Amino acid sequence: MPFVRSYVRSDGTPVRGHSRWAPGARREMTIVAAVGLAVLGYGNAHTANGSDSTQPTPSVTYPIRFDHADSKPRAAVPSPTVSYPIRFDTPTAKRAEPTPSVSYPIDLSALAGRR
């Protein structure tokens, strides 16, 4: 929205500073508001007549009971999920090596003469 600074008309009437809509913006905003109200009214149309036909009907009865199961629980027996053996690499022992604390090479021969 453009802001119009205060000014004095040619007949001497002072006009305060104000903001005004850009040309055509009021009509566009009216159209957007009308479409928004139409969408809102159409989206809530099913609650106006009181029918809840959009609610799904449950196909399951809760709580779920397993009547065919034994009364005492059994321990789960693990079984393989594949029929072929899976071999995993065994880790090998590595030598402990010192890691450098700087990322650039240090020439120790250049320092040896000055010590």
Side-chain angles (χ1 to χ4, degrees), residues 3-101:
F3 185 77
V4 179
R5 290 184 242 159
S6 59
Y7 63 95
V8 178
R9 291 186 182 168
S10 61
D11 62 353
T13 307
V15 178
R16 292 185 302 167
H18 60 279
S19 60
R20 71 167 182 217
W21 290 59
R26 190 175 309 270
R27 179 180 179 274
E28 290 177 5
M29 190 62 179
T30 304
I31 292 171
V32 168
V35 169
L37 287 172
V39 168
L40 185 66
Y42 181 73
N44 292 333
H46 72 280
T47 60
N49 59 9
S51 66
D52 289 333
S53 61
T54 59
Q55 294 293 328
T57 57
S59 61
V60 179
T61 305
Y62 291 100
I64 298 174
R65 300 187 194 283
F66 298 99
D67 296 332
H68 62 278
D70 294 339
S71 60
K72 64 178 186 174
R74 286 185 259 163
V77 178
S79 60
T81 57
V82 293
S83 60
Y84 52 89
I86 300 175
R87 297 190 178 134
F88 296 99
D89 296 334
T90 56
T92 58
K94 291 185 176 181
R95 286 186 340 172
E97 296 180 8
T99 57
S101 60

